[in-house]
Amino acid sequence: MEWTLAGLFGVSALLLILSISKTFQASRAQHKRIDMSHISIMQEINNIQDSIRNIELEMEIVMKEAGIQLSSKELSFIREVLDLYKRNYSIESIAEKKQVTEIEIERLLAPYQSLKAGRGNVAHEI
């Protein structure tokens, strides 16, 4: 009876050690997968940042070549107005939000408006 109890105790200790070993290996594999995902995401972020830098440089070059001289404040204002317009805000609501006249907003958006605005003008003339 004592030998059986000692044998069972030994087997349980062996199984405990085996279980801890397997858990440690699984944990290590999971950390490795997480690290690989992290590296992949960081590479994607770096690629996106490089693309953004390139776009900013290209925009600066185009503005220099075209002779456009806008301050960063003016450029930011135009960008915000255009963003609101592209998200289908009305010219009136954009003017109210930016606290400028509707005429000023229409002047800023004129180069970016599609043919849709031209069809609307015909309807108003009738």
Side-chain angles (χ1 to χ4, degrees):
M1 174 96 153
E2 294 170 359
W3 285 103
T4 307
L5 192 56
L8 288 175
F9 182 73
V11 169
S12 67
L14 183 64
L15 289 175
L16 178 64
I17 292 170
L18 184 63
S19 173
I20 290 172
S21 172
K22 291 290 184 182
T23 303
F24 181 72
Q25 288 175 351
S27 174
R28 184 184 287 168
Q30 185 177 15
H31 281 295
K32 193 172 190 176
R33 283 193 306 271
I34 290 171
D35 287 344
M36 294 304 289
S37 296
H38 182 262
I39 290 170
S40 173
I41 289 172
M42 291 306 293
Q43 287 174 339
E44 289 180 31
I45 288 172
N46 285 336
N47 289 340
I48 290 171
Q49 287 175 336
D50 288 342
S51 296
I52 290 171
R53 261 187 247 109
N54 288 338
I55 289 171
E56 288 173 344
L57 290 172
E58 289 171 2
M59 186 178 74
E60 188 176 332
I61 291 169
V62 168
M63 287 178 64
K64 288 278 189 193
E65 291 292 322
I68 300 171
Q69 296 180 349
L70 295 175
S71 69
S72 61
K73 201 174 202 180
E74 292 170 325
L75 190 60
S76 175
F77 179 77
I78 293 171
R79 188 178 322 128
E80 290 170 4
V81 168
L82 186 58
D83 179 51
L84 291 171
Y85 179 72
K86 294 282 185 178
R87 289 192 284 153
N88 293 324
Y89 280 70
S90 69
I91 291 177
E92 296 82 19
S93 64
I94 296 171
E96 183 179 322
K97 185 173 182 124
K98 293 297 175 183
Q99 298 176 344
V100 295
T101 65
E102 291 178 26
I103 295 169
E104 179 67 18
I105 298 297
E106 288 175 354
R107 185 187 66 76
L108 288 173
L109 291 176
Y112 307 102
Q113 289 178 325
S114 63
L115 296 175
K116 182 173 73 173
R119 285 185 270 150
N121 290 340
V122 173
H124 291 294
E125 292 177 4
I126 297 178

